[in-house]
Amino acid sequence: MNCCLATNSGIAPNPGKTTVYLSTAEDGTTQYVGITDNIDARSAAHLSQKGIEIDPIPGLQGISRDDARAVEQVLIEYNGLGKNGGSLLNKINSIATTNPVYANSLSRGAAILQSVGYPGFK
């Protein structure tokens, strides 16, 4: 999918306390993406509420909340919400398409994913 082509490769995420995580289905498809400031608590909540396990994305731990939201939205666009025919269990976007920062956030999020070597963004 080419929703979010990185235009500024090599951008490092700004430091912060937020982690971007995902859950992968048995068949290898991404089934959930999210952000949290407490990965242990979030992991326990997802396991008890949704029955899914989550893992932090390497290189996307301890980043700013704005950068985490940008990356999360790119991954939502890349994998697609289930209600729109995609693979994700997520119910909503992280950043609304009507938000004035939407386009810039997609560009930055894709560049950050490229900088950490995330598959599909190398």
Side-chain angles (χ1 to χ4, degrees):
M1 184 175 276
N2 62 1
C3 72
C4 317
L5 297 176
T7 57
N8 301 316
S9 62
I11 288 180
N14 291 317
K17 59 181 182 174
T18 305
T19 296
V20 184
Y21 64 86
L22 57 77
S23 176
T24 306
E26 287 185 23
D27 66 2
T29 59
T30 300
Q31 65 182 359
Y32 195 92
V33 296
I35 63 174
T36 186
D37 290 346
N38 185 334
I39 192 70
D40 292 334
R42 196 71 183 123
S43 181
H46 274 300
L47 189 57
S48 69
Q49 296 168 3
K50 293 181 173 67
I52 62 174
E53 294 182 5
I54 62 171
D55 296 298
I57 298 174
L60 298 177
Q61 298 158 294
I63 69 173
S64 74
R65 191 149 194 93
D66 285 346
D67 281 352
R69 285 185 69 219
V71 168
E72 179 186 27
Q73 185 58 44
V74 169
L75 292 174
I76 289 170
E77 297 283 337
Y78 188 75
N79 294 287
L81 294 173
K83 68 181 180 182
N84 299 331
S87 66
L88 297 178
L89 299 171
N90 297 60
K91 301 289 185 202
I92 61 170
N93 287 307
S94 182
I95 303 170
T97 57
T98 56
N99 188 317
V101 304
Y102 180 80
N104 287 338
S105 293
L106 285 183
S107 178
R108 180 157 178 83
I112 291 169
L113 284 164
Q114 184 178 29
S115 77
V116 300
Y118 190 83
F121 293 86
K122 294 180 181 178

